[in-house]
Amino acid sequence: RKNAGGRGKAGGLADHRNLLKRYHPGYFGKKGIRVFHEKKNPKHCPVVNIDRLWSLVSEETRTKYADNKEGLVPVIDVTKSGFFKVLGKGRLPTIPVVVKAKFFSSTAERRIKAIGGAC
């Protein structure tokens, strides 16, 4: 007799149930919760400390604004370098600077404003 038990996976919920339960548990049915608008990584927030801020700009930018007499202030956008948050570890040079980021820690904000900069 050809195909006495049925072809393929026939009988998975009937006469082949023991086989499927034993060797393939979880084959039938649903599992888990549907999330309609899942955000894959909502807490992704790379950080940079204020002692590394000047390493994100070029050397000529540093020398240009170091002896600046015209009142021009450099703008450092840390999001272009892949960072979202600025933390307050380290010291900044006394050159005022405008820092653009999504988030600032309170220490970083205080230290940037102390040298005459802005967040």
Side-chain angles (χ1 to χ4, degrees):
R1 295 178 303 203
K2 296 183 194 175
N3 310 311
R7 293 175 186 259
K9 294 196 172 68
L13 290 174
D15 54 340
H16 294 162
R17 178 173 291 211
N18 290 337
L19 177 136
L20 277 157
K21 284 274 192 191
R22 179 181 295 169
Y23 298 114
H24 307 285
Y27 181 81
F28 290 110
K30 297 179 181 177
K31 183 181 176 191
I33 301 169
R34 288 182 67 192
V35 180
F36 294 110
H37 185 66
E38 182 180 10
K39 296 176 182 173
K40 294 292 185 188
N41 200 356
K43 295 183 180 177
H44 178 71
C45 188
V47 297
V48 63
N49 283 303
I50 58 173
D51 56 0
R52 283 194 52 208
L53 282 181
W54 282 98
S55 67
L56 302 178
V57 295
S58 63
E59 184 68 41
E60 57 191 48
T61 306
R62 268 178 262 161
T63 56
K64 176 183 173 185
Y65 290 105
D67 53 351
N68 185 16
K69 304 288 190 257
E70 302 154 10
L72 296 176
V73 178
V75 177
I76 300 176
D77 191 356
V78 298
T79 55
K80 289 182 179 176
S81 300
F83 300 105
F84 290 171
K85 186 171 184 175
V86 179
L87 302 179
K89 179 186 164 210
R91 298 189 181 274
L92 275 171
T94 55
I95 306 165
V97 64
V98 175
V99 183
K100 288 186 176 183
K102 290 185 176 184
F103 308 105
F104 290 92
S105 70
S106 58
T107 312
E109 198 168 345
R110 186 181 71 234
R111 288 182 178 170
I112 291 169
K113 289 181 179 177
I115 59 163
C119 299

